[in-house]
Amino acid sequence: MSERAPLVVVTGGAGFIGSHTVDRLLEQGARVVVLDNFSTGKRANLAAAIGRGGVLEIVTCDVSTGIFAALAPITAQHGPVDRIIHLAAQVSVIASIASPVVDGQINYGSTLHVLEYARAMGVKKVAFASSAAVYGDVSTFPVTEDLHCQPVSPYGIHKYASELALDYYAAVHGVAATPLRFFNVYGPRQDPSSPYSGVISIFADRARAGRDLLVFGDGGQTRDFVYVGDVARAVVAAAMSDSTSRVALNVGTGREITVLELARIVVELCGGRSAIQHAAPRAGEIVRSVAAVERAHTALGFRAEVALVDGLRATLA
Ligand code: NAD
Ligand code: UD1
């Protein structure tokens, strides 16, 4: 690790996507600082990264109250922050419907604090974890980035508001920034412990234990499930690129699958012991979701590579 390697701050770096992003940055020789309040993130997610000796600092910090104080001692010792990957968020669409104000404070507020830091300190690039939830219920598929965004949840609204803030800071303050609209991310280290956790983590957890899977509604709703290792590649490519393009990029596979079909595959991969039950559909949910993937390919050379069944096997292993 050289002192001249780029200094990259990862907010939410102890989380699921964050820890894979840290692994990827270290592979590329970056110096990495993690800011996390450990609300859902875990130090254990960074065990391999810490073992490799690459992580400079892991700072406990609530990003929604600002990051200047947390970073001051680090920059005094190691020099300025080159790039910020902003992943810290509360990630549940359903939780945002229950607590919209809290969602705004965390998900929009944190983005403003990150952008204020980037503006004041001359950070070269901000890559931001936006979401397919910004689109809302659209009627043309696959979903292209130039579609009108009409989010149907507070979570989607605050991700979209964050994108608008990125665009404003780019246009007015010259902060280079890329919003990445993740579709449904899955893979190892995704925490299944909350009822709001990602569906694959819940299905995998239950099917491994031979417990029944609960599908909300008839299971005909579709999602584009993208493997976390692919997402980490896209995030790092965007953060390290010197492009000043202000457009948002989808991060997905371009393939969709129904939740019911997903449940069947997970049950089969786990030996077929679980039954599939149905419950009432979730309110505020989108019905169909699948990404158009050409723009990320053109901008970053990125394509998702891991097939769903391979990613599921890696998740279950
Ligand atoms: P995660 O819950 O594992 O990661 C979020 C991380 O942010 C955790 O480590 C958590 O402790 C931290 N955090 C939360 N609030 C914080 C705060 N105020 N200050 C500092 N740290 C805070 O979830 P994830 O799935 O890894 O999500 C990462 C990002 O990707 C989020 O911005 C999420 O909205 C976005 N995203 C995720 C998905 C998905 O399918 N998992 C899809 C679209 C977008
Ligand atoms: C997910 C992400 C969100 C992201 C969005 C982008 C999580 C927790 N949420 O939201 O951060 O912005 O993708 O597309 O990672 N389901 C069941 N049974 C269960 C759990 C879920 O049937 O036990 C269904 C849900 O009703 C839904 C689908 O599975 O139709 C996916 O749900 P979920 O994993 O919670 O993700 P999203 O709401 O799509």
Side-chain angles (χ1 to χ4, degrees):
M1 186 174 57
S2 122
E3 268 306 307
R4 287 166 53 229
L7 184 58
V8 184
V9 169
V10 184
T11 76
F16 161 52
I17 300 170
S19 62
H20 287 273
T21 301
V22 169
D23 290 342
R24 176 87 190 161
L25 285 165
L26 294 179
E27 278 165 28
Q28 298 205 345
R31 295 175 298 152
V32 178
V33 173
V34 168
L35 301 183
D36 204 298
N37 70 351
F38 296 96
S39 53
T40 57
K42 299 185 196 77
R43 224 163 257 275
N45 287 341
L46 294 167
I50 295 166
R52 290 165 62 184
V55 182
L56 283 183
E57 299 271 356
I58 301 170
V59 186
T60 303
C61 162
D62 179 350
V63 176
S64 70
T65 62
I67 63 174
F68 283 89
L71 289 174
I74 290 163
T75 53
Q77 193 182 345
H78 299 287
V81 173
D82 293 298
R83 289 155 201 276
I84 301 180
I85 295 175
H86 176 41
L87 308 174
Q90 96 64 31
V91 308
S92 165
V93 175
I94 301 302
S96 84
I97 294 167
S99 305
V101 176
V102 173
D103 189 82
Q105 286 164 340
I106 299 173
N107 287 3
Y108 183 53
S110 297
T111 306
L112 292 179
H113 281 297
V114 166
L115 288 168
E116 269 300 283
Y117 184 89
R119 177 187 66 78
M121 305 310 253
V123 171
K124 294 183 192 125
K125 189 66 171 282
V126 176
F128 166 63
S130 185
S131 165
V134 300
Y135 292 113
D137 250 327
V138 298
S139 52
T140 47
F141 298 94
V143 179
T144 53
E145 291 89 341
D146 50 11
L147 279 181
H148 174 67
C149 288
Q150 190 145 14
V152 293
S153 64
Y155 173 87
I157 290 170
H158 298 134
K159 288 290 186 186
Y160 190 52
S162 293
E163 287 193 12
L164 295 175
L166 256 65
D167 197 55
Y168 159 76
Y169 274 80
V172 177
H173 300 298
V175 176
T178 303
L180 298 163
R181 294 176 178 166
F182 300 164
F183 280 63
N184 286 59
V185 189
Y186 73 99
R189 302 181 202 152
Q190 191 168 28
D191 183 358
S193 62
S194 142
Y196 300 153
S197 296
V199 65
I200 288 183
S201 69
I202 295 175
F203 282 0
D205 195 48
R206 297 183 73 97
R208 261 195 302 239
R211 295 164 67 203
D212 291 355
L213 272 48
L214 201 57
V215 166
F216 297 128
D218 65 6
Q221 68 270 37
T222 72
R223 295 292 185 271
D224 179 335
F225 291 101
V226 57
Y227 187 67
V228 67
D230 281 332
V231 174
R233 269 196 307 118
V235 170
V236 171
M240 293 309 184
S241 154
D242 286 322
S243 161
T244 53
S245 162
R246 285 156 48 194
V247 296
L249 305 174
N250 286 343
V251 178
T253 67
R255 289 179 292 278
E256 65 192 310
I257 182 171
T258 67
V259 170
L260 185 58
E261 182 60 16
L262 170 75
R264 288 182 179 137
I265 295 172
V266 174
V267 170
E268 196 187 307
L269 288 174
C270 290
R273 291 175 296 150
S274 305
I276 296 172
Q277 312 276 0
H278 290 264
R282 277 179 172 172
E285 270 216 329
I286 54 173
V287 176
R288 195 176 164 197
S289 180
V290 57
V293 295
E294 284 314 310
R295 194 187 269 183
H297 186 243
T298 306
L300 304 174
F302 168 76
R303 272 197 205 289
E305 287 168 356
V306 179
L308 180 61
V309 71
D310 295 332
L312 287 174
R313 285 203 178 96
T315 306
L316 290 164

